[in-house]
Amino acid sequence: MHRIEESSEPYCVVIGGINIDIQGFCNAAHIEKDSNPGVITRSLGGVGRNIAENLVRLGVRTELITVLGNSPAWEALISRIEHLGIGVSHSPRLADVPLPMYLCILERDGGLVSAVADMRAIERLQIEHLENQDSLLRKAACIIIDGNLPKACIEWIAQQYHAANSQNKKTIPAALSSTERENVFVSRDFADPAGKDQNGDRGFQNANVQSQIAVSQHPILIADPVSSSKAAKFRDCFGLFDIAKPNLAEASTIANFGQTATPSQIIAALKAKSILPNELYLSLGEKGMLVIEDDSIHEISLPASNLRPPAANRSGAGDAACAALAWISIRSMFSERLKNGQFSNLRPSAKAKFALSAALLASASKRPVNPKLDPRMLCEKTKFWYPELSDLVEYMMQNGGII
């Protein structure tokens, strides 16, 4: 089988869970502790797998590292995953691994009522499995991990592949304290307000703003905590990530707050603990997303409800948003190879709009991943829902940014 790292084309590695989704869609408003008429479907799922499929549909070569079994049922599941173009040849195969399952009940508008996730398979992932894939991981354009991984694996990946460990990061001395290192990292993505793009919010940072960190070849490291119960695994390494996409409950758990904490309190706590990622995207569900930009919090709203497609299944929206953040970040990182590097200074607020557009497209499909998703669809829908990004999207489409 072809090994993905043999190609010079940028690729992404997703490390996370797979499962079979069993989803019950209620025909009417859900009635608790009662039998609800509806439709039951089965499909491929899992946060890591969903992110990987979204990336493949966006044109990114993607390898999924997970834990696989060796039963006939596992062989059928693996075959279906590979048929989608997702590589799994670097995943360990272990004996007696239970088939992962996700059982959920959804409201008629696609909102989640409740779910049970049997993720015992991915819990058997060991650091030695990842050590065996060091070459694959180190050469990746992007590494995405989900919160289903064991805590030890999450922390090992963060320590091994974060920017401060990159030999190419000459401007970050290894002797810096965690607080000093965070201050250097955060400054990379904050434009000087006095030098802000005079053309308004078109998605670009001012070209004259000099980054304090040189461009490196370290993988873009992205975290998706998955749930508030699993988010605690990130408490000791959250600040090592380039990008993180938790919701408020997950971020509150990582900051060691109660569920009543405000976004400002959460972000202040993450800063105080020196665990604020380079780019933090706080999912607000129907209210959109919060991002930190120019050293302040910006709320990016969803487009008006009359412009959105009807929601059919919101269970994969967050996975699509995470994949879109990875996709646009990879495009930004490699833009100098594509043209003159203009869109290498892409603002987090612009990235958030691509992520929200991807989430809306995912929600419009009954499946966890929209089978119609492709780069052109995402670009055109983003331009429609966020017309202030029209110039950026046109630039991307004309200069190879959607390849």
Side-chain angles (χ1 to χ4, degrees):
M1 184 177 292
H2 176 71
R3 306 290 281 184
I4 195 169
E5 71 269 27
E6 293 175 0
S7 171
S8 60
E9 181 184 344
Y11 64 87
C12 182
V13 179
V14 180
I15 311 174
I18 62 174
N19 54 247
I20 296 173
D21 279 351
I22 302 175
Q23 299 179 313
F25 295 86
C26 297
N27 287 341
H30 177 264
I31 302 174
E32 190 175 359
K33 297 181 180 180
D34 198 0
S35 176
N36 289 264
V39 176
I40 297 174
T41 65
R42 291 168 63 96
S43 61
L44 295 179
V47 172
R49 195 221 65 89
N50 289 351
I51 292 171
E53 183 181 344
N54 276 291
L55 283 168
V56 168
R57 294 189 180 281
L58 288 171
V60 181
R61 297 177 67 244
T62 304
E63 185 77 16
L64 175 64
I65 295 180
T66 189
V67 173
L68 305 174
N70 54 13
S71 68
W74 269 107
E75 294 299 334
L77 177 58
I78 292 166
S79 177
R80 291 178 64 191
I81 293 172
E82 291 183 325
H83 182 72
L84 292 168
I86 302 169
V88 292
S89 62
H90 296 270
S91 296
R93 291 223 186 186
L94 306 178
D96 303 319
V97 176
L99 203 66
M101 309 284 282
Y102 176 77
L103 174 66
C104 69
I105 299 174
L106 301 169
E107 288 279 14
R108 55 182 172 180
D109 65 353
L112 180 67
V113 174
S114 186
V116 176
D118 183 348
M119 303 302 294
R120 288 174 290 168
I122 192 64
E123 291 169 1
R124 291 182 59 179
L125 188 69
Q126 300 291 320
I127 290 175
E128 64 185 69
H129 297 140
L130 300 170
E131 289 176 328
N132 293 336
Q133 304 304 330
D134 180 68
S135 177
L136 174 80
L137 293 166
R138 204 163 291 282
K139 296 175 184 177
C142 178
I143 299 172
I144 304 173
I145 64 175
D146 78 38
N148 288 306
L149 272 62
K151 183 175 186 288
C153 291
I154 291 174
E155 293 178 347
W156 184 87
I157 295 164
Q159 289 290 339
Q160 288 295 310
Y161 304 107
H162 75 96
N165 276 344
S166 171
Q167 294 181 354
N168 296 309
K169 286 285 188 187
K170 305 289 187 182
T171 58
I172 304 180
L176 283 181
S177 69
S178 59
T179 301
E180 291 170 327
R181 185 162 54 245
E182 186 220 7
N183 289 338
V184 174
F185 278 136
V186 171
S187 66
R188 177 175 66 175
D189 296 309
F190 292 163
D192 180 357
K196 203 168 183 179
D197 188 346
Q198 298 302 310
N199 293 316
D201 182 11
R202 296 169 56 192
F204 295 110
Q205 298 262 20
N206 186 289
N208 294 322
V209 176
Q210 296 298 317
S211 169
Q212 293 189 37
I213 296 182
V215 174
S216 82
Q217 297 303 310
H218 87 285
I220 302 168
L221 198 56
I222 301 179
D224 190 323
V226 175
S227 69
S228 56
S229 63
K230 296 174 181 178
K233 300 175 186 179
F234 291 86
R235 278 181 182 154
D236 296 327
C237 62
F238 202 50
L240 299 179
F241 287 88
D242 295 294
I243 294 171
K245 190 206 66 61
N247 61 27
L248 280 178
E250 294 159 2
S252 184
T253 296
I254 295 169
N256 213 10
F257 263 116
Q259 296 304 305
T260 58
T262 66
S264 296
Q265 289 174 324
I266 292 170
I267 292 169
L270 293 175
K271 276 190 171 185
K273 297 172 186 290
S274 298
I275 55 171
L276 182 69
N278 292 352
E279 297 179 23
L280 180 63
Y281 299 84
L282 284 175
S283 175
L284 302 178
E286 279 291 296
K287 294 182 179 179
M289 188 174 281
L290 292 181
V291 299
I292 302 175
E293 190 170 288
D294 299 334
D295 216 5
S296 59
I297 302 173
H298 295 258
E299 182 172 341
I300 311 299
S301 300
L302 288 171
S305 57
N306 64 312
L307 298 178
R308 304 179 216 163
N313 179 2
R314 295 194 181 99
S315 64
D319 306 334
C322 185
L325 287 172
W327 171 77
I328 193 64
S329 296
I330 292 171
R331 294 301 133 207
S332 177
M333 183 171 70
F334 283 88
S335 65
E336 288 188 357
R337 297 184 186 181
L338 297 172
K339 222 26 173 169
N340 59 11
Q342 254 185 303
F343 98 98
S344 62
N345 294 314
L346 198 64
R347 287 183 175 276
S349 59
K351 290 184 181 182
K353 292 168 185 176
F354 282 94
L356 290 174
S357 296
L360 288 175
L361 290 171
S363 297
S365 173
K366 283 279 189 181
R367 301 181 188 177
V369 177
N370 190 327
K372 296 180 180 179
L373 178 68
D374 62 27
R376 186 166 295 277
M377 170 186 278
L378 179 56
C379 280
E380 290 177 348
K381 289 298 185 181
T382 301
K383 184 171 67 170
F384 172 69
W385 286 322
Y386 300 100
E388 65 273 18
L389 295 185
S390 294
D391 289 349
L392 170 61
V393 172
E394 287 298 325
Y395 174 83
M396 291 173 61
M397 295 175 72
Q398 292 172 12
N399 293 284
I402 64 168
I403 292 175

